[in-house]
Amino acid sequence: SQQGEEDPQALSIQEGENATMNCSYKTSINNLQWYRQNSGRGLVHLILIRSNEREKHSGRLRVTLDTSKKSSSLLITASRAADTASYFCATEFNFGNEKLTFGTGTRLTIIP
Amino acid sequence: DVKVTQSSRYLVKRTGEKVFLECVQDMDHENMFWYRQDPGLGLRLIYFSYDVKMKEKGDIPEGYSVSREKKERFSLILESASTNQTSMYLCAAAQYSSYNEQFFGPGTRLTVL
């Protein structure tokens, strides 16, 4: 399968701490995206990083990409209760058909 | 912001019924997608469409068909629903090019009895 895999599957931290999630994939990519899903809802796009970028920031989010290791990480700093959700990485592979392949997700719980 | 709506949040059908799931987007995006989401399996692509009347199979098209008669509307059809199609179904829309985010609808939780 070309599906990405997130690690860990579940993560619980105290409010205010930083949360780090990792994503690994198997083939060359055009870009990698991170999405958030609140319980029982649709996904919301968080950030996109292109294959020629190594790091990207958006507010409290920091994403890194290591194409040599075929991996990415999502860091959420100063976590809040509202960050409780599932987080998915999604990869667009480099044959340009605009499809995304999603990982299985990390369930993040922020403990107030 | 792009708004993607799905016809039902919850749906209960019986085995063998024909089921229609409707998805509508309001921002003139070319690409539309249908996924199903199951615990431990993440999102899996069923079908996608990059233009009116155009469709391509995703990773798990068996037991499903789609229709895109108008640009804003993408329908998923279960010709004869089975219990293994009980799942959360998510529709998404995106602009036609790489490096574009997908905008998701709220999902339809389908239960087939």
Side-chain angles (χ1 to χ4, degrees):
Chain A
S1 168
Q2 295 174 327
Q3 190 176 50
E5 292 188 5
E6 284 92 341
D7 171 55
Q9 290 187 336
L11 179 62
S12 291
I13 60 172
Q14 295 288 333
E15 192 168 17
E17 293 181 340
N18 295 342
T20 300
M21 288 158 271
N22 302 296
C23 170
S24 60
Y25 57 91
K26 295 182 180 178
T27 62
S28 297
I29 60 171
N30 268 343
N31 66 82
L32 185 144
Q33 304 179 28
W34 286 90
Y35 287 79
R36 184 187 72 225
Q37 183 181 36
N38 291 93
S39 182
R41 310 292 297 185
L43 278 71
V44 175
H45 180 262
L46 295 176
I47 196 166
L48 179 153
I49 187 165
R50 298 186 178 214
S51 59
N52 61 354
E53 297 175 314
R54 291 298 166 257
E55 188 170 313
K56 202 161 183 181
H57 296 254
S58 177
R60 293 184 296 112
L61 305 180
R62 173 178 168 250
V63 170
T64 61
L65 179 65
D66 186 336
T67 53
S68 66
K69 295 181 179 178
K70 293 185 171 58
S71 67
S72 173
S73 66
L74 171 67
L75 169 68
I76 303 173
T77 60
S79 63
R80 304 168 182 169
D83 295 329
T84 293
S86 292
Y87 293 81
F88 294 87
C89 68
T91 48
E92 181 184 338
F93 296 106
N94 67 352
F95 38 84
N97 61 3
E98 300 135 36
K99 293 191 299 182
L100 292 179
T101 299
F102 285 82
T104 52
T106 292
R107 175 68 191 168
L108 175 65
T109 301
I110 307 300
I111 304 166
Chain B
D1 283 350
V2 174
K3 189 169 182 181
V4 179
T5 57
Q6 295 183 228
S7 50
S8 305
R9 287 300 317 279
Y10 300 93
L11 205 55
V12 179
K13 295 291 182 181
R14 296 208 174 271
T15 301
E17 281 193 79
K18 190 169 186 176
V19 181
F20 293 86
L21 302 182
E22 302 281 331
C23 175
V24 178
Q25 52 107 354
D26 67 356
M27 285 296 290
D28 204 37
H29 282 9
E30 294 83 3
N31 290 355
M32 296 188 75
F33 308 82
W34 273 107
Y35 298 89
R36 65 177 282 176
Q37 182 178 21
D38 301 287
L41 298 177
L43 276 74
R44 293 179 291 166
L45 182 65
I46 304 171
Y47 268 97
F48 73 103
S49 169
Y50 52 88
D51 202 352
V52 175
K53 297 191 185 295
M54 305 300 287
K55 61 184 179 183
E56 285 198 24
K57 293 179 180 179
D59 300 318
I60 51 164
E62 297 78 18
Y64 303 94
S65 62
V66 290
S67 172
R68 194 166 180 199
E69 297 296 318
K70 294 184 178 181
K71 192 174 185 179
E72 67 271 18
R73 189 179 298 268
F74 191 35
S75 301
L76 180 69
I77 303 156
L78 287 66
E79 293 289 342
S80 178
S82 62
T83 55
N84 63 12
Q85 292 178 310
T86 292
S87 186
M88 169 72 95
Y89 290 88
L90 293 163
C91 174
Q95 289 183 326
Y96 181 67
S97 67
S98 294
Y99 308 108
N100 282 307
E101 64 182 280
Q102 292 187 9
F103 296 88
F104 281 81
T108 295
R109 185 162 295 281
L110 173 67
T111 302
V112 182
L113 302 175

mmCIF file of all heavy atoms in Angstrom, chain A residues 36-58:
data_model
loop_
_atom_site.group_PDB
_atom_site.id
_atom_site.type_symbol
_atom_site.label_atom_id
_atom_site.label_comp_id
_atom_site.label_asym_id
_atom_site.label_seq_id
_atom_site.Cartn_x
_atom_site.Cartn_y
_atom_site.Cartn_z
ATOM 1 N N ARG A 36 -7.053 17.944 10.061
ATOM 2 C CA ARG A 36 -7.607 17.676 11.381
ATOM 3 C C ARG A 36 -9.062 17.256 11.226
ATOM 4 O O ARG A 36 -9.776 17.782 10.363
ATOM 5 C CB ARG A 36 -7.544 18.926 12.264
ATOM 6 C CG ARG A 36 -8.023 18.699 13.696
ATOM 7 C CD ARG A 36 -8.098 20.000 14.471
ATOM 8 N NE ARG A 36 -9.208 20.810 14.024
ATOM 9 C CZ ARG A 36 -9.125 22.106 13.783
ATOM 10 N NH1 ARG A 36 -7.975 22.745 13.932
ATOM 11 N NH2 ARG A 36 -10.189 22.773 13.386
ATOM 12 N N GLN A 37 -9.493 16.323 12.077
ATOM 13 C CA GLN A 37 -10.878 15.888 12.076
ATOM 14 C C GLN A 37 -11.381 15.860 13.509
ATOM 15 O O GLN A 37 -10.892 15.074 14.325
ATOM 16 C CB GLN A 37 -11.033 14.503 11.445
ATOM 17 C CG GLN A 37 -12.483 14.039 11.361
ATOM 18 C CD GLN A 37 -12.619 12.660 10.766
ATOM 19 O OE1 GLN A 37 -11.781 11.786 10.991
ATOM 20 N NE2 GLN A 37 -13.676 12.438 9.976
ATOM 21 N N ASN A 38 -12.339 16.720 13.764
ATOM 22 C CA ASN A 38 -13.014 16.657 15.058
ATOM 23 C C ASN A 38 -14.012 15.509 15.026
ATOM 24 O O ASN A 38 -14.499 15.127 13.970
ATOM 25 C CB ASN A 38 -13.703 17.982 15.362
ATOM 26 C CG ASN A 38 -12.692 19.073 15.630
ATOM 27 O OD1 ASN A 38 -12.299 19.798 14.723
ATOM 28 N ND2 ASN A 38 -12.230 19.181 16.849
ATOM 29 N N SER A 39 -14.333 14.987 16.180
ATOM 30 C CA SER A 39 -15.075 13.733 16.288
ATOM 31 C C SER A 39 -16.324 13.723 15.422
ATOM 32 O O SER A 39 -17.199 14.581 15.549
ATOM 33 C CB SER A 39 -15.447 13.507 17.755
ATOM 34 O OG SER A 39 -16.126 12.284 17.901
ATOM 35 N N GLY A 40 -16.401 12.747 14.509
ATOM 36 C CA GLY A 40 -17.594 12.560 13.695
ATOM 37 C C GLY A 40 -17.843 13.622 12.656
ATOM 38 O O GLY A 40 -18.945 13.712 12.112
ATOM 39 N N ARG A 41 -16.834 14.413 12.337
ATOM 40 C CA ARG A 41 -17.021 15.507 11.379
ATOM 41 C C ARG A 41 -16.120 15.306 10.160
ATOM 42 O O ARG A 41 -15.350 14.360 10.071
ATOM 43 C CB ARG A 41 -16.697 16.853 12.040
ATOM 44 C CG ARG A 41 -17.367 17.095 13.357
ATOM 45 C CD ARG A 41 -18.858 17.260 13.214
ATOM 46 N NE ARG A 41 -19.234 18.415 12.407
ATOM 47 C CZ ARG A 41 -20.489 18.813 12.220
ATOM 48 N NH1 ARG A 41 -21.473 18.139 12.762
ATOM 49 N NH2 ARG A 41 -20.770 19.878 11.484
ATOM 50 N N GLY A 42 -16.231 16.255 9.215
ATOM 51 C CA GLY A 42 -15.344 16.222 8.050
ATOM 52 C C GLY A 42 -13.942 16.693 8.408
ATOM 53 O O GLY A 42 -13.691 17.172 9.503
ATOM 54 N N LEU A 43 -13.031 16.548 7.472
ATOM 55 C CA LEU A 43 -11.650 16.944 7.683
ATOM 56 C C LEU A 43 -11.446 18.406 7.322
ATOM 57 O O LEU A 43 -12.084 18.929 6.403
ATOM 58 C CB LEU A 43 -10.710 16.078 6.840
ATOM 59 C CG LEU A 43 -10.344 14.708 7.395
ATOM 60 C CD1 LEU A 43 -11.526 13.760 7.354
ATOM 61 C CD2 LEU A 43 -9.156 14.122 6.630
ATOM 62 N N VAL A 44 -10.525 19.025 8.028
ATOM 63 C CA VAL A 44 -10.175 20.419 7.772
ATOM 64 C C VAL A 44 -8.680 20.491 7.466
ATOM 65 O O VAL A 44 -7.863 19.942 8.215
ATOM 66 C CB VAL A 44 -10.508 21.312 8.988
ATOM 67 C CG1 VAL A 44 -10.013 22.732 8.751
ATOM 68 C CG2 VAL A 44 -12.009 21.306 9.255
ATOM 69 N N HIS A 45 -8.350 21.157 6.385
ATOM 70 C CA HIS A 45 -6.952 21.287 5.975
ATOM 71 C C HIS A 45 -6.194 22.190 6.944
ATOM 72 O O HIS A 45 -6.683 23.259 7.343
ATOM 73 C CB HIS A 45 -6.901 21.880 4.573
ATOM 74 C CG HIS A 45 -5.520 22.051 4.040
ATOM 75 N ND1 HIS A 45 -4.839 23.242 4.080
ATOM 76 C CD2 HIS A 45 -4.690 21.170 3.431
ATOM 77 C CE1 HIS A 45 -3.661 23.096 3.531
ATOM 78 N NE2 HIS A 45 -3.548 21.851 3.123
ATOM 79 N N LEU A 46 -4.997 21.763 7.335
ATOM 80 C CA LEU A 46 -4.168 22.555 8.245
ATOM 81 C C LEU A 46 -2.999 23.204 7.512
ATOM 82 O O LEU A 46 -2.773 24.416 7.640
ATOM 83 C CB LEU A 46 -3.624 21.671 9.367
ATOM 84 C CG LEU A 46 -4.652 21.074 10.341
ATOM 85 C CD1 LEU A 46 -3.961 20.151 11.329
ATOM 86 C CD2 LEU A 46 -5.423 22.165 11.044
ATOM 87 N N ILE A 47 -2.242 22.414 6.783
ATOM 88 C CA ILE A 47 -1.010 22.939 6.212
ATOM 89 C C ILE A 47 -0.540 22.016 5.092
ATOM 90 O O ILE A 47 -0.786 20.807 5.132
ATOM 91 C CB ILE A 47 0.061 23.085 7.319
ATOM 92 C CG1 ILE A 47 1.219 23.975 6.879
ATOM 93 C CG2 ILE A 47 0.524 21.733 7.828
ATOM 94 C CD1 ILE A 47 2.099 24.421 8.036
ATOM 95 N N LEU A 48 0.118 22.597 4.100
ATOM 96 C CA LEU A 48 0.680 21.839 2.976
ATOM 97 C C LEU A 48 2.158 22.152 2.889
ATOM 98 O O LEU A 48 2.557 23.325 2.985
ATOM 99 C CB LEU A 48 -0.035 22.237 1.685
ATOM 100 C CG LEU A 48 0.387 21.596 0.364
ATOM 101 C CD1 LEU A 48 -0.799 21.576 -0.614
ATOM 102 C CD2 LEU A 48 1.567 22.284 -0.288
ATOM 103 N N ILE A 49 2.969 21.142 2.673
ATOM 104 C CA ILE A 49 4.402 21.340 2.479
ATOM 105 C C ILE A 49 4.790 20.663 1.172
ATOM 106 O O ILE A 49 4.416 19.515 0.907
ATOM 107 C CB ILE A 49 5.219 20.822 3.687
ATOM 108 C CG1 ILE A 49 6.693 21.202 3.522
ATOM 109 C CG2 ILE A 49 5.019 19.337 3.927
ATOM 110 C CD1 ILE A 49 7.498 21.061 4.817
ATOM 111 N N ARG A 50 5.497 21.394 0.338
ATOM 112 C CA ARG A 50 5.901 20.867 -0.960
ATOM 113 C C ARG A 50 7.151 20.000 -0.810
ATOM 114 O O ARG A 50 7.898 20.124 0.164
ATOM 115 C CB ARG A 50 6.170 22.013 -1.932
ATOM 116 C CG ARG A 50 4.946 22.863 -2.184
ATOM 117 C CD ARG A 50 5.190 23.902 -3.246
ATOM 118 N NE ARG A 50 3.974 24.682 -3.502
ATOM 119 C CZ ARG A 50 3.638 25.153 -4.688
ATOM 120 N NH1 ARG A 50 4.411 24.939 -5.742
ATOM 121 N NH2 ARG A 50 2.527 25.844 -4.839
ATOM 122 N N SER A 51 7.401 19.191 -1.813
ATOM 123 C CA SER A 51 8.511 18.245 -1.725
ATOM 124 C C SER A 51 9.866 18.938 -1.672
ATOM 125 O O SER A 51 10.843 18.361 -1.186
ATOM 126 C CB SER A 51 8.480 17.274 -2.911
ATOM 127 O OG SER A 51 8.567 17.979 -4.127
ATOM 128 N N ASN A 52 9.952 20.190 -2.152
ATOM 129 C CA ASN A 52 11.229 20.908 -2.113
ATOM 130 C C ASN A 52 11.358 21.804 -0.868
ATOM 131 O O ASN A 52 12.307 22.578 -0.755
ATOM 132 C CB ASN A 52 11.427 21.744 -3.376
ATOM 133 C CG ASN A 52 10.346 22.798 -3.550
ATOM 134 O OD1 ASN A 52 9.388 22.842 -2.794
ATOM 135 N ND2 ASN A 52 10.512 23.636 -4.559
ATOM 136 N N GLU A 53 10.399 21.694 0.040
ATOM 137 C CA GLU A 53 10.463 22.448 1.294
ATOM 138 C C GLU A 53 10.845 21.512 2.433
ATOM 139 O O GLU A 53 10.523 20.317 2.396
ATOM 140 C CB GLU A 53 9.115 23.111 1.591
ATOM 141 C CG GLU A 53 8.713 24.140 0.532
ATOM 142 C CD GLU A 53 7.323 24.708 0.771
ATOM 143 O OE1 GLU A 53 6.391 23.917 1.039
ATOM 144 O OE2 GLU A 53 7.178 25.950 0.695
ATOM 145 N N ARG A 54 11.490 22.057 3.440
ATOM 146 C CA ARG A 54 11.918 21.224 4.567
ATOM 147 C C ARG A 54 11.146 21.544 5.833
ATOM 148 O O ARG A 54 11.015 20.698 6.726
ATOM 149 C CB ARG A 54 13.422 21.418 4.806
ATOM 150 C CG ARG A 54 14.271 20.849 3.705
ATOM 151 C CD ARG A 54 14.081 19.336 3.583
ATOM 152 N NE ARG A 54 14.632 18.815 2.335
ATOM 153 C CZ ARG A 54 13.880 18.474 1.288
ATOM 154 N NH1 ARG A 54 12.562 18.607 1.326
ATOM 155 N NH2 ARG A 54 14.442 17.987 0.206
ATOM 156 N N GLU A 55 10.656 22.772 5.925
ATOM 157 C CA GLU A 55 9.941 23.174 7.132
ATOM 158 C C GLU A 55 8.939 24.258 6.773
ATOM 159 O O GLU A 55 9.199 25.091 5.906
ATOM 160 C CB GLU A 55 10.945 23.702 8.166
ATOM 161 C CG GLU A 55 10.357 23.972 9.535
ATOM 162 C CD GLU A 55 11.438 24.266 10.563
ATOM 163 O OE1 GLU A 55 12.432 23.520 10.618
ATOM 164 O OE2 GLU A 55 11.273 25.263 11.300
ATOM 165 N N LYS A 56 7.808 24.238 7.503
ATOM 166 C CA LYS A 56 6.802 25.251 7.266
ATOM 167 C C LYS A 56 6.068 25.524 8.574
ATOM 168 O O LYS A 56 5.866 24.618 9.387
ATOM 169 C CB LYS A 56 5.825 24.768 6.195
ATOM 170 C CG LYS A 56 5.078 25.886 5.510
ATOM 171 C CD LYS A 56 4.514 25.407 4.192
ATOM 172 C CE LYS A 56 3.834 26.544 3.461
ATOM 173 N NZ LYS A 56 3.249 26.093 2.191
ATOM 174 N N HIS A 57 5.680 26.781 8.753
ATOM 175 C CA HIS A 57 4.997 27.177 9.979
ATOM 176 C C HIS A 57 3.657 27.793 9.638
ATOM 177 O O HIS A 57 3.483 28.458 8.621
ATOM 178 C CB HIS A 57 5.834 28.213 10.732
ATOM 179 C CG HIS A 57 7.146 27.707 11.211
ATOM 180 N ND1 HIS A 57 7.406 27.410 12.540
ATOM 181 C CD2 HIS A 57 8.290 27.429 10.536
ATOM 182 C CE1 HIS A 57 8.658 26.986 12.641
ATOM 183 N NE2 HIS A 57 9.217 26.988 11.454
ATOM 184 N N SER A 58 2.695 27.571 10.550
ATOM 185 C CA SER A 58 1.417 28.250 10.457
ATOM 186 C C SER A 58 0.863 28.368 11.861
ATOM 187 O O SER A 58 0.397 27.396 12.444
ATOM 188 C CB SER A 58 0.446 27.466 9.565
ATOM 189 O OG SER A 58 -0.825 28.097 9.536
#
